[in-house]
Amino acid sequence: MKAIILAGGSGTRLWPLSRKNYPKQFLRITGEESLFQQTIKRILKKLSASDIVIITNKDYKFLVQEELKNLGLKTQKVNPHLVFEPVSRNTAPAIALAIKYCLDELKCSGEEIVFVSPSDHVIHPEDSFVEYLSQAEFIAQKGYIVTFGIEPTAPKTGYGYILAGEALFNAGDIPIHRVEKFVEKPDLERALRYLTEGSYYWNSGMFAFQINIMIEEMIKHIPEIGEKLNLSYSNFLESFEGLPDISIDYAVMEKSSKIAMLPLKLYWNDVGSWDAIYEILEKDVDGNIIKGEVITLDTRDSIILGNKRLIATIGVEDLVIIETEDALLIAKRNEVQRVKDVVNRIKALGRKEGDEHLTAFRPWGSYTILEEGLRYKIKRLTINPKERLSLQRHYHRSEHWVVVRGTAKVRLNERELFVTENESVYVPKTAIHRLENPGSIPLDIIEVQIGEYIAEDDIERFEDKYGRE
């Protein structure tokens, strides 16, 4: 059995925390580990690391590698496989690309069972989930595409639903049903009816199948993708940009007659909105979820996540207040499904807050924009131990580096020097330079850029250990 982990999404429903350059799956919502890391650890209870294929957008390459490193996986000889989409596409092309990787690069047979999972869900107890994976493997071996249905506990309007049809057979003591139909997110009245009728399940977005069965169904129902699977992996990758932008639900699941549903009785949450966050996090005696410097008076049933500012609330309830370094969201909890509309408005105005955080992650560490104005930008750089930036130069800006913590090794044209705490170095325009952390603790730098053009693309790289152009 192989597992395909979908980690390329750029969801916006948890804005302003989740954005395109740092999406939901990498957030640490329920503990010290990200949702992505929790997904990997959950799969490792059933499969080895070498049986896991992670497919993600190329923009998240170094972020995913850092997440795996922090799990201790990148230090082992056997690691998960990484597949990078050359452009953002939906789940059907992504799954097809991962299948092709399994066939060509891992030499899997057409009878290999594959489990597909998003990387941004909360599931427990994990041991029960592992048992369900074994049942799904058994069902898939009979030639079915298995969809995982979650037994609903409330009339949720933010989930898609599955209508269970006739019982096909039992997997252990679990009755497996033919899928009658998939249902879009309902209004509250229909959701209440679904809950009462008892034949509807939440659509978890998780699947299992034999590779050859999925290929047959793709060729039948979406030949624009299915027929491309006859290509080699490298040729399929080259043609990826021309594939239709379509989900696996619309492409195959809603059309195929080979879908069987495995009902799951466990806790599942797709963390798809701030209301979902309210459900899973611990609350105080007033029903509030509070993080950061927050003072509340007569405040109830609210989410208040602070960052740097002191937040005070008086006489409010059922609010979502999320503060980041560059944005503040205030919404009624029953209106949070409209956050995506806010993000679309932000993007339409050409504002970068819709996609970008002030903090950006790089293979060597991260930087945070502290202040920016006409002809200047101030950043805080954190370079991880033993890492270094590329050998580079800029044509439109000079840089001044001040070391706050650690020791920096600096290449400046033909010179090489060490700069320690409270010391600085000036990098003129067009100077060939590199910044490196030779030490064992993170290196923190305050960088002041001055020039007529201070965008990130003013860079010419001569050498880069991470293979960037």
Side-chain angles (χ1 to χ4, degrees):
M1 189 178 195
K2 296 289 186 287
I4 295 173
I5 308 300
L6 304 172
S10 56
T12 57
R13 290 183 292 173
L14 292 183
W15 185 89
L17 287 189
S18 175
R19 307 189 198 181
K20 183 178 179 181
N21 72 346
Y22 195 77
K24 177 179 67 169
Q25 59 265 30
F26 303 119
L27 296 179
R28 282 151 177 76
I29 292 174
T30 60
E32 294 300 316
E33 295 173 338
S34 69
L35 296 175
F36 170 79
Q37 290 174 322
Q38 291 175 26
T39 302
I40 298 298
K41 291 184 69 174
R42 188 161 57 241
I43 302 303
L44 287 174
K45 288 180 174 289
K46 167 73 173 176
L47 305 175
S48 70
S50 61
D51 291 323
I52 297 175
V53 177
I54 300 165
I55 181 159
T56 187
N57 189 279
K58 61 182 177 61
D59 293 338
Y60 305 144
K61 175 180 179 180
F62 300 111
L63 187 52
V64 167
Q65 290 176 336
E66 185 68 17
E67 291 276 291
L68 294 175
K69 178 182 176 182
N70 290 337
L71 282 178
L73 292 175
K74 295 299 289 183
T75 61
Q76 299 178 5
K77 292 182 179 180
V78 179
N79 299 311
H81 304 272
L82 300 181
V83 177
F84 301 106
E85 299 171 286
V87 294
S88 293
R89 284 293 179 266
N90 215 315
T91 52
I95 291 170
L97 179 60
I99 286 173
K100 194 61 186 173
Y101 181 89
C102 290
L103 289 171
D104 285 18
E105 304 300 313
L106 304 185
K107 307 303 179 185
C108 295
S109 72
E111 288 73 39
E112 182 80 46
I113 305 299
V114 172
F115 167 64
V116 177
S117 173
S119 57
D120 54 4
H121 293 178
V122 172
I123 298 174
H124 58 75
E126 293 187 343
D127 289 341
S128 296
F129 179 74
V130 171
E131 293 177 9
Y132 282 120
L133 281 183
S134 296
Q135 303 293 357
E137 188 174 15
F138 167 75
I139 301 164
Q141 287 170 345
K142 292 180 174 291
Y144 290 97
I145 297 175
V146 185
T147 183
F148 291 63
I150 309 296
E151 187 170 288
T153 56
K156 297 288 187 179
T157 59
Y159 297 155
Y161 283 71
I162 301 169
L163 175 58
E166 63 175 317
L168 297 170
F169 52 86
N170 281 5
D173 59 352
I174 303 172
I176 307 306
H177 294 265
R178 188 180 301 279
V179 170
E180 190 72 25
K181 65 177 178 178
F182 290 86
V183 184
E184 294 287 347
K185 297 174 183 177
D187 57 26
L188 181 58
E189 182 181 350
R190 283 194 297 147
L192 283 167
R193 177 162 55 84
Y194 294 166
L195 187 64
T196 302
E197 290 181 6
S199 298
Y200 288 85
Y201 293 76
W202 292 335
N203 184 359
S204 70
M206 296 183 290
F207 317 102
F209 50 80
Q210 285 186 39
I211 288 178
N212 54 9
I213 297 296
M214 179 57 77
I215 291 176
E216 289 174 6
E217 295 302 283
M218 283 187 168
I219 291 173
K220 180 178 180 180
H221 299 293
I222 186 155
E224 306 97 307
I225 295 176
E227 292 176 358
K228 289 285 197 304
L229 287 165
N230 292 319
L231 300 174
S232 66
Y233 174 71
S234 60
N235 288 336
F236 186 92
L237 198 60
E238 289 176 1
S239 68
F240 190 83
E241 187 171 356
L243 297 181
D245 188 347
I246 186 171
S247 72
I248 193 67
D249 285 336
Y250 288 127
V252 174
M253 304 301 289
E254 295 183 3
K255 300 174 181 177
S256 175
S257 60
K258 296 183 178 181
I259 312 299
M261 190 198 70
L262 171 63
L264 274 58
K265 293 184 179 181
L266 44 64
Y267 181 82
W268 170 88
N269 192 315
D270 76 343
V271 201
S273 69
W274 286 112
D275 221 19
I277 295 291
Y278 184 81
E279 181 181 313
I280 63 178
L281 294 184
E282 185 177 352
K283 304 161 191 66
D284 64 16
V285 293
D286 294 316
N288 298 316
I289 296 171
I290 293 175
K291 291 187 178 180
E293 297 296 321
V294 178
I295 296 174
T296 61
L297 295 178
D298 297 325
T299 299
R300 285 177 289 277
D301 302 329
S302 296
I303 305 174
I304 308 171
L305 304 185
N307 184 28
K308 291 185 175 180
R309 299 173 183 84
L310 171 65
I311 299 176
T313 62
I314 303 173
V316 299
E317 60 183 57
D318 294 322
L319 284 186
V320 173
I321 302 173
I322 312 297
E323 181 221 359
T324 65
E325 293 174 322
D326 61 340
L328 175 65
L329 171 69
I330 303 173
K332 294 289 289 184
R333 273 182 48 209
N334 61 359
E335 296 282 349
V336 291
Q337 295 294 341
R338 298 171 62 189
V339 167
K340 190 172 183 178
D341 298 332
V342 172
V343 176
N344 290 337
R345 180 78 63 87
I346 292 170
K347 292 180 180 180
L349 293 172
R351 298 187 63 103
K352 61 185 180 182
E353 291 94 341
D355 287 332
E356 301 176 12
H357 281 281
L358 290 181
T359 296
F361 293 86
R362 295 292 184 263
W364 43 263
S366 64
Y367 70 78
T368 300
I369 298 174
L370 303 178
E371 189 173 340
E372 185 173 2
L374 184 63
R375 293 181 58 85
Y376 78 93
K377 184 185 293 183
I378 303 174
K379 291 181 175 180
R380 180 179 67 247
L381 281 64
T382 298
I383 298 94
N384 294 329
K386 311 303 180 184
E387 302 295 347
R388 64 174 185 261
L389 281 67
S390 60
L391 185 64
Q392 58 185 253
R393 69 177 165 196
H394 313 294
Y395 288 98
H396 301 287
R397 70 173 185 256
S398 61
E399 296 176 339
H400 195 131
W401 295 333
V402 181
V403 176
V404 177
R405 178 177 63 160
T407 297
K409 181 179 179 181
V410 177
R411 160 86 179 270
L412 186 57
N413 289 323
E414 301 304 318
R415 289 195 300 148
E416 191 171 270
L417 61 153
F418 290 89
V419 186
T420 59
E421 291 182 5
N422 204 31
E423 295 181 342
S424 63
V425 61
Y426 173 69
V427 181
K429 287 182 186 179
T430 73
I432 296 176
H433 61 280
R434 175 162 55 204
L435 182 60
E436 182 176 349
N437 180 3
S440 300
I441 65 171
L443 169 64
D444 289 338
I445 299 282
I446 299 299
E447 176 182 272
V448 180
Q449 303 176 358
I450 297 177
E452 64 273 12
Y453 182 75
I454 52 174
E456 295 301 321
D457 60 355
D458 176 24
I459 183 170
E460 179 184 6
R461 288 192 176 98
F462 298 95
E463 178 187 312
D464 183 53
K465 67 178 286 188
Y466 313 107
R468 295 171 296 174
E469 294 180 356

